[in-house]
Amino acid sequence: MPPPADIVKVAIEWPGAFPKLMEIDQVSACVRVCLAGLWSLANHDQFALQHADSSNFYITEKNRNEIKNGAILRLTTSPAQNAQQLHERIQSSSMDAKLEALKDLANYSRDVTFAQEFINLDGISLLTQMVESGTERYQKLQKIMKPCFGDMLSFTLTAFVELMDHGIVSWDTFSVAFIKKIASYVNKFASDISILQRSLAILESMVLNSHDLYQKVAQEITIGQLIPHLQGTDQEIQTYTIAVINALFLKAPDDKRQVSCSYISEMANILAQKQLRSIILTHVIRAQRAINNEMAHQLYVLQVLTFNLLEDRMMTKMDPQDQAQRDIIFELRRIAFDAESEPNNSSGSIEKRKSMYTRDYKKLGFINHVNPAMDFTQTPPGMLALDNMLYFAKHHQDAYIRIVLENSSREDKHECPFGRSSIELTKMLCEILKVGELPSETCNDFHPMFFTHDRSFEEFFCICIQLLNKTWKEMRATSEDFNKVMQVVKEQIMRALTTKPSSLDQFKSKLQNLSYTEILKIRQSERMNQEDFQSRPILELKEKIQPEILELIKQQRLNRLVEGTCFRKLNSRRRQGTVQTYLAKLSSSILAL
C-alpha cells in the first residue's frame, strides 16, 4: 500500500553533522522535538526547520503541509532566536560585523515568519533610526571606506523594503525626517544603483499606501529630480522612476478638483510635456534592448493616466448658453466655409443669417441643425468631441475642409455626417482606450505610438475620422448604415492596434491596408476556421450532451478498475523463465482495492 498522504520523506541537515533521512508526519505537532532529539539538542523550542534552498524560508504550522517528498530541509535556530541575534548584531560597533548582520537581515526579511519576530522587537524603528541619524555617524568615514558605507546603506534599505512588503506595519508611522532622508538618496546616490533602486521603491510604496505620506513625498521629490534617472541605461531604475511618477499621479487626493483646481493642469503639464515624453520615448521605448514585463506595465499605467486627463472634458456637457463654447462651433463653420463678414444686424438679415447657419450646420453633419450645441450635451463624449473637431479643423485644415465639402456635395442619404461621426468616434475611442478607468494591476498593453506626439489622442482621432470617411465611401453607406460603418471602423482600429505600431504614421499605414474589402476577407477566413466548431448550434449541442458524456467516461473508468489489471511482481531471486504476477482491482462496492 502507498504511504499515507501526510507522510513525506525528506533530508534534514544540521551544521557539522551528516544529513539524515527521515519521514515527517505533516499532521503531528512534535516534529521539532523529534528532530532536536536526533542530534541530542537541548532546548528544542529554540530550533526550527528551514528550507535549505536559496529562499531559507522557515517551516511553520501553517505551511508545513507544503513540504514535498525529497525536499532538503535544515534544522536551525528558531525565527525568534534568529531575530533577537540579528537585532543585537546590527547594533554592533564593529563596521564589519554590522555589515555582515545587515546582509543577513536583508536575506532573512523576505520570510514573513522571521519578519514578524523582528518587527515584534521594534526592528522597523531601529532601521529607520539608522537611516535618519545612524548613517550620519559614518559620513566622515565615507571617503575612505565608501564601498562599505554604500553596502551598509543598501542592505539597510533592502531589509526595510522586505519587512514593509509583508504589510505588518502601517506606512503612516514614519516621520518627515525619514522621508526627507530617503528623498535625498534619490539625488545623492544616483550612481549607486542598489541604493537608488531601494529609495525609489520606498517612495513609491509610501505614496501608494498612505494619503498623508503622499503629501509629504510630493513636497520632497519633483519630476525634475526624477527625469535624469530615465536617461540612464539601467532599465530597473527607469522602471522604478516611472513607477514613482505613476504613483504620485494615481494617488492624488480624491478632492483634488475641489481643493486644487490647478492640480489636473499641473499633472497634465508633467505627463504631456515634451521633455518627459521624448525622454521616455528615446531612452526607454526605443532603447536598444527588450522591454521587460514590469516596465511594460508601468508604461501602460502611464498611458492610462495620461488619457484619463481627458475624463474631465469627456464628462462635461456643453452649455448652449455659453458664448465661448458656441464660438468653437462658429469657428468650425468659418474654417469649413470661409464665411465672409456677417450681414448687418437688421430684421431682414437676422432671418437670412439663421437660415444660412442652419444650412451650414446641416452640411457639417450635426443632428440639430438649428442649435448644434445640443449635440454635445450627452456624456460621454461631451466637450471632448468638440475639442477633437476643432483640433482637426485647425491642425489638418485641408483634410477637414475636403471631408466637409465632399460630403455636403453628396445626396443627403449618402453623406457621411462629420458632426455626428466625430461625436460617435470620440466616444468609441474613449471606450477603446478606457478613458476614465483605473489601470489594471496586471495589464502591460501599452502602445508606443502614443508616446510619439504631445497631442497623441487628438492625432489618433484625426487619423480615425479620415478612416471613417474612407470606409463610408468604400461601403457605399447611407444614413441607415451608420452603425454598421462604426462597427467596421472599430474593427479596423482594433486590428491595427494589435500590431503595436511604433508611430502614428505606421498606425495610419496599417489602416490603409485594412480596407473594407480586406476586413470582409478576414472575416470570411475566420468564419471558415471557426464555424465548424464554434457555431451556435454546435456549442448548444455540446453543452447539452456534455454531462451525459462525462458520466459515461466516469462509469467506463470505474468498470475498468473493477475488472482489474495484472502487474508483474518484481523479485530479484526469481528463477529464469518464471514470471510472477498479481491482480489489483477495485471491489464491486467501489469502496476499496
Side-chain angles (χ1 to χ4, degrees):
M1 291 181 62
D6 297 327
I7 303 298
V8 292
K9 295 182 179 181
V10 299
I12 308 294
E13 295 179 346
W14 172 253
F18 288 107
K20 296 187 178 182
L21 300 176
M22 69 174 297
E23 293 182 349
I24 291 182
D25 186 347
Q26 293 177 307
V27 178
S28 173
C30 59
V31 173
R32 183 174 54 192
V33 179
C34 297
L35 290 173
L38 287 176
W39 288 280
S40 302
L41 302 175
N43 301 323
H44 58 78
D45 58 332
Q46 296 182 7
F47 297 92
L49 278 176
Q50 189 182 54
H51 286 285
D53 57 17
S54 58
S55 69
N56 292 326
F57 286 173
Y58 282 101
I59 306 297
T60 65
E61 297 297 322
K62 294 181 179 179
N63 64 20
R64 65 180 181 177
N65 62 329
E66 299 175 4
I67 300 175
K68 304 298 182 182
N69 265 315
I72 301 177
L73 307 180
R74 180 187 302 117
L75 189 62
T76 185
T77 53
S78 67
Q81 187 82 359
N82 196 11
Q84 181 65 48
Q85 293 173 359
L86 280 173
H87 191 272
E88 296 171 358
R89 288 171 56 200
I90 62 175
Q91 300 180 71
S92 171
S93 58
S94 168
M95 289 286 286
D96 291 337
K98 192 182 189 77
L99 177 62
E100 193 64 29
L102 287 169
K103 182 179 179 180
D104 291 341
L105 178 62
N107 182 43
Y108 280 110
S109 294
R110 295 176 298 160
D111 185 358
V112 65
T113 307
F114 170 86
Q116 183 67 70
E117 297 293 343
F118 187 79
I119 289 171
N120 290 342
L121 297 173
D122 208 17
I124 292 289
S125 297
L126 178 60
L127 292 179
T128 55
Q129 290 172 14
M130 291 173 63
V131 171
E132 290 177 20
S133 59
T135 54
E136 293 179 1
R137 290 181 297 172
Y138 304 103
Q139 293 286 342
K140 297 179 181 179
L141 302 174
Q142 185 176 358
K143 292 184 178 179
I144 59 175
M145 50 193 316
K146 186 173 181 180
C148 180
F149 173 79
D151 290 343
M152 184 180 299
L153 182 56
S154 174
F155 290 134
T156 302
L157 295 178
T158 300
F160 177 84
V161 170
E162 297 291 352
L163 291 169
M164 291 303 298
D165 278 350
H166 296 297
I168 301 172
V169 179
S170 171
W171 283 91
D172 291 313
T173 59
F174 299 107
S175 66
V176 175
F178 179 73
I179 298 171
K180 288 185 175 181
K181 183 66 69 173
I182 296 298
S184 70
Y185 293 157
V186 173
N187 294 322
K188 186 183 299 183
F189 294 98
S191 59
D192 193 315
I193 300 300
S194 59
I195 295 177
L196 178 58
Q197 176 188 328
R198 274 67 169 184
S199 300
L200 290 169
I202 293 172
L203 290 177
E204 181 196 7
S205 296
M206 285 179 174
V207 173
L208 292 177
N209 292 284
S210 171
H211 171 71
D212 292 336
L213 291 186
Y214 160 80
Q215 301 285 0
K216 296 171 183 176
V217 171
Q219 294 173 2
E220 295 297 327
I221 202 76
T222 65
I223 302 299
Q225 292 172 312
L226 295 174
I227 282 180
H229 302 310
L230 294 172
Q231 297 173 299
T233 57
D234 190 287
Q235 187 172 120
E236 197 165 3
I237 294 298
Q238 293 174 325
T239 302
Y240 277 103
T241 302
I242 297 178
V244 173
I245 295 174
N246 289 338
L248 286 169
F249 190 22
L250 187 62
K251 291 299 178 179
D254 293 335
D255 57 349
K256 60 181 177 290
R257 290 180 176 84
Q258 289 76 27
V259 176
S260 176
C261 294
S262 64
Y263 177 81
I264 293 181
S265 60
E266 177 186 348
M267 291 309 298
N269 291 334
I270 289 173
L271 295 180
Q273 62 177 296
K274 185 175 182 179
Q275 183 187 17
L276 178 60
R277 178 191 60 75
S278 61
I279 287 174
I280 291 176
L281 180 65
T282 303
H283 296 277
V284 178
I285 297 176
R286 293 181 176 173
Q288 298 300 315
R289 61 175 179 270
I291 294 178
N292 59 38
N293 289 335
E294 183 57 30
M295 172 60 84
H297 172 69
Q298 293 301 335
L299 290 172
Y300 152 77
V301 173
L302 183 59
Q303 172 185 292
V304 171
L305 295 178
T306 303
F307 286 137
N308 280 355
L309 293 170
L310 304 169
E311 182 184 9
D312 189 55
R313 294 294 284 175
M314 182 182 74
M315 301 307 295
T316 300
K317 296 181 179 180
M318 183 171 185
D319 181 2
Q321 306 304 319
D322 189 321
Q323 187 58 44
Q325 294 180 1
R326 292 172 63 87
D327 286 344
I328 299 177
I329 298 178
F330 294 154
E331 182 67 6
L332 289 174
R333 173 183 170 274
R334 185 196 66 79
I335 295 174
F337 305 112
D338 194 23
E340 299 179 355
S341 59
E342 300 296 341
N344 295 328
N345 189 17
S346 61
S347 59
S349 63
I350 291 177
E351 294 300 324
K352 183 178 179 181
R353 182 170 58 183
K354 286 183 178 179
S355 175
M356 180 175 61
Y357 282 1
T358 300
R359 180 197 66 203
D360 289 347
Y361 291 148
K362 183 176 183 298
K363 290 180 180 180
L364 282 171
F366 290 112
I367 298 174
N368 192 320
H369 307 153
V370 178
N371 187 6
M374 299 302 296
D375 288 11
F376 301 96
T377 56
Q378 180 185 1
T379 58
M383 288 296 293
L384 183 60
L386 188 57
D387 294 342
N388 283 339
M389 294 168 69
L390 182 62
Y391 181 91
F392 181 51
K394 285 189 171 182
H395 293 83
H396 300 270
Q397 194 171 115
D398 292 343
Y400 167 70
I401 294 174
R402 176 178 53 78
I403 288 177
V404 173
L405 296 183
E406 186 179 276
N407 284 287
S408 63
S409 64
R410 294 176 183 163
E411 296 180 21
D412 288 349
K413 69 174 185 177
H414 284 287
E415 68 175 356
C416 177
F418 174 74
R420 181 186 176 189
S421 299
S422 297
I423 293 170
E424 291 301 321
L425 178 63
T426 300
K427 183 179 179 181
M428 178 199 294
L429 298 183
C430 289
E431 292 173 354
I432 291 174
L433 299 177
K434 296 180 171 52
V435 175
E437 297 183 20
L438 289 175
S440 166
E441 295 183 357
T442 58
C443 183
N444 56 9
D445 187 25
F446 83 98
H447 296 279
M449 72 178 191
F450 291 129
F451 292 85
T452 62
H453 201 283
D454 297 333
R455 305 286 295 274
S456 59
F457 184 81
E458 290 86 345
E459 288 293 325
F460 187 42
F461 168 84
C462 293
I463 293 172
C464 293
I465 192 64
Q466 295 178 74
L467 168 71
L468 193 156
N469 187 67
K470 172 176 172 285
T471 302
W472 184 283
K473 290 187 293 184
E474 291 174 347
M475 294 178 66
R476 299 178 181 176
T478 63
S479 54
E480 289 80 8
D481 301 321
F482 185 85
N483 291 332
K484 292 181 181 179
V485 175
M486 295 303 295
Q487 290 174 3
V488 174
V489 169
K490 183 175 183 179
E491 183 175 348
Q492 290 171 313
I493 294 171
M494 294 298 292
R495 289 186 182 277
L497 285 176
T498 56
T499 64
K500 294 295 181 67
S502 60
S503 66
L504 290 165
D505 287 338
Q506 193 176 87
F507 172 70
K508 189 174 182 179
S509 176
K510 296 286 184 182
L511 291 177
Q512 291 293 331
N513 297 327
L514 287 171
S515 63
Y516 177 58
T517 303
E518 185 64 24
I519 290 294
L520 291 179
K521 291 179 181 179
I522 294 173
R523 286 179 176 178
Q524 179 66 21
S525 175
E526 291 177 348
R527 195 178 302 117
M528 292 292 292
N529 293 332
Q530 296 180 5
E531 64 183 6
D532 291 343
F533 302 102
Q534 300 299 325
S535 62
R536 181 173 296 179
I538 292 180
L539 292 176
E540 291 176 353
L541 178 62
K542 179 181 177 181
E543 183 179 358
K544 184 177 180 180
I545 66 175
Q546 187 175 31
E548 182 179 347
I549 293 176
L550 291 177
E551 182 60 31
L552 178 62
I553 293 172
K554 177 181 176 182
Q555 192 58 48
Q556 287 177 331
R557 290 177 176 175
L558 285 173
N559 292 339
R560 179 59 178 166
L561 290 172
V562 170
E563 180 183 339
T565 302
C566 289
F567 296 90
R568 294 182 61 180
K569 196 170 184 178
L570 298 178
N571 189 338
S572 59
R573 292 175 296 182
R574 67 175 180 264
R575 296 176 181 177
Q576 187 70 22
T578 303
V579 178
Q580 296 181 341
T581 62
Y582 64 91
L583 175 68
K585 67 178 183 176
L586 189 66
S587 66
S588 58
S589 62
I590 319 179
L591 294 177
L593 286 172

